[in-house]
Amino acid sequence: MAISLLTVNTFSSPLSRTSNAPRLSAADESFLEDLSRRSFRYFLEQTHPDTGLTLDRARADGSIHNENQRHTASIAATGFGLTALCIAAERGWIEPEEARERVRTALRFFAGRAPHERGWFYHWMDWRNGERRWQSELSSIDTALLLNGMLTARGYFRHDREIVRLATVIYERIDFRWILNGHPTLLSHGWYPDRGFIKHRWDTYSEQLSLLLLAIGSPAHPITPGAWRAWERKRITYANFTYMHAHPPLFIHQYSHAWVDFRNRRENWYPFTDYFENSVKATHAHKAFCLDLSDEFPGYTENVWGITASDSAKGYVAWGGPPRHPRIDGTVVPCAAGGSLMFTPDIALPALRT
């Protein structure tokens, strides 16, 4: 109900859902089918059979991580994995019953065994048993990404009573009002059992759009719809593209769109933001930003570009731009262009092919 009210009161009526995206050739379709299917294998192979938890990272050459990273799962990766199971079942990459049982395994674990506080889960867990890893926080955004996958599975397997029941129990258990930590509208980034709430809040544009929708639409612990308007909307201009932006990594413009279709919807107050078009502009600006670095890093070319948070030779870096992150070293992160395929297939597809 709250999400329906938010849509009515916040966004103008959707326009026609026709797309201006270029028509894909048979060769493009074949390439994307192969790439998508092979990408799905990460979730198939890197998810624990007893918990449904998906590893935070794995090496492309199959070599073993050090002990500190070897068994560490990410609840966000698990949410993407649950979504991937639905796609795989629909596209015939996996038997529907196998996908269904894998979803059940994860939901049973999170409903009954995973440690939580008022429904919120730890960012990183031991994939074998769910124990907290790396002294991580109860993460508001990562719990939301996990929940996105659970609710996707609930919708896809809507005739499976156990899946529907468990996903609903998990959603209704999450206390969104508690994570406000006394603020009327701005959610905290998370909570530590020994230090309490993280002081940072979701107070500017970032990857939190789906978190807010889940919080406002919660059937048990909703926050006010006014929370949608409470955060700051900074805008920048780069290469003649003006768009909402606050942090360097490109993924902030991508993640929520994996589950929420923002196409042809605009906020009903100035500057009437269309979040889908905002991500289109952000991607074009980001490509231009990479090409502007080509004198320093000749590896950036017309079809070789993209920087977003990733591992690097020096460890994990939340880099991107514009503005320029100080640790940029010429690395290309393929998922930067890949994550914008839905926004800008005309430039993302050639980048993926290169």
Side-chain angles (χ1 to χ4, degrees):
M1 179 64 176
I3 287 182
S4 297
L5 289 173
L6 179 70
T7 301
V8 170
N9 295 326
T10 303
F11 294 99
S12 60
S13 299
L15 306 175
S16 169
R17 290 303 176 106
T18 56
S19 173
N20 294 322
R23 186 179 298 276
L24 297 178
S25 68
D28 290 336
E29 294 281 8
S30 178
F31 168 76
L32 290 174
E33 175 72 10
D34 176 67
L35 179 62
S36 301
R37 187 167 188 166
R38 287 189 289 115
S39 298
F40 167 67
R41 295 203 64 82
Y42 177 86
F43 300 103
L44 197 64
E45 296 169 359
Q46 307 301 328
T47 297
H48 199 283
D50 296 331
T51 64
L53 286 165
T54 301
L55 289 178
D56 183 61
R57 45 170 55 83
R59 290 176 171 158
D61 63 3
S63 60
I64 302 298
H65 273 294
N66 61 43
E67 190 61 31
N68 185 47
Q69 295 181 336
R70 185 177 304 172
H71 303 298
T72 302
S74 157
I75 60 170
T78 303
F80 278 104
L82 290 169
T83 302
L85 285 169
C86 301
I87 296 169
E90 180 69 17
R91 299 180 74 165
W93 303 339
I94 187 175
E95 290 297 322
E97 186 52 39
E98 181 181 353
R100 188 192 308 265
E101 189 54 39
R102 284 173 173 266
V103 169
R104 290 193 197 109
T105 295
L107 293 179
R108 289 167 185 161
F109 172 75
F110 280 101
R113 294 165 52 198
H116 69 89
E117 182 70 30
R118 302 194 185 217
W120 300 94
F121 296 107
Y122 287 109
H123 190 162
W124 290 294
M125 297 180 177
D126 189 312
W127 79 324
R128 299 166 296 185
N129 51 34
E131 291 181 358
R132 178 188 180 200
R133 293 298 301 268
W134 297 345
Q135 298 299 303
S136 62
E137 79 285 11
L138 293 169
S139 171
S140 55
I141 187 60
D142 293 280
T143 297
L145 296 174
L146 171 65
L147 185 59
N148 286 338
M150 291 177 171
L151 296 181
T152 298
R154 185 180 73 172
Y156 187 76
F157 295 109
R158 57 191 173 276
H159 300 302
D160 187 302
R161 292 183 179 180
E162 184 181 14
I163 288 176
V164 170
R165 178 180 63 81
L166 291 175
T168 301
V169 165
I170 293 167
Y171 186 16
E172 293 184 352
R173 189 173 61 189
I174 298 173
D175 191 341
F176 290 95
R177 295 170 185 166
W178 177 73
I179 210 75
L180 286 168
N181 186 28
H183 197 282
T185 54
L186 296 176
L187 299 162
S188 168
H189 281 202
W191 179 87
Y192 289 98
D194 55 338
R195 287 178 277 165
F197 285 99
I198 297 172
K199 66 178 181 179
H200 299 294
R201 296 181 180 273
W202 295 105
D203 57 3
T204 190
Y205 173 75
S206 195
E207 71 271 25
Q208 84 277 24
L209 301 184
S210 66
L211 167 61
L212 283 168
L213 292 174
L214 291 168
I216 293 166
S218 168
H221 305 283
I223 65 173
T224 173
W228 184 267
R229 299 185 68 151
W231 42 278
E232 186 177 9
R233 288 152 164 81
K234 298 178 181 178
R235 303 174 75 81
I236 68 169
T237 298
Y238 191 91
N240 294 321
F241 295 100
T242 299
Y243 58 103
M244 192 184 301
H245 187 64
H247 306 289
L250 192 57
F251 80 80
I252 72 168
H253 298 284
Q254 299 168 340
Y255 276 13
S256 288
H257 296 261
W259 294 280
V260 182
D261 187 355
F262 289 101
R263 289 176 298 173
N264 300 317
R265 291 186 180 274
R266 297 180 180 274
E267 288 176 332
N268 59 11
W269 69 89
Y270 184 82
F272 309 106
T273 302
D274 177 324
Y275 287 94
F276 186 88
E277 288 301 320
N278 193 75
S279 293
V280 171
K281 293 176 181 178
T283 303
H284 280 291
H286 179 72
K287 178 185 175 181
F289 166 77
C290 290
L291 295 182
D292 286 345
L293 297 175
S294 61
D295 286 345
E296 183 178 355
F297 303 112
Y300 293 137
T301 63
E302 178 64 23
N303 291 328
V304 180
W305 55 272
I307 313 167
T308 193
S310 71
D311 280 342
S312 73
K314 298 179 181 179
Y316 176 81
V317 187
W319 48 15
R324 177 172 177 166
H325 189 281
R327 295 179 66 183
I328 287 176
D329 61 3
T331 295
V332 176
V333 184
C335 67
S340 282
L341 185 64
M342 66 184 118
F343 309 123
T344 56
D346 53 326
I347 62 173
L349 185 54
L352 289 172
R353 280 186 170 279
T354 300

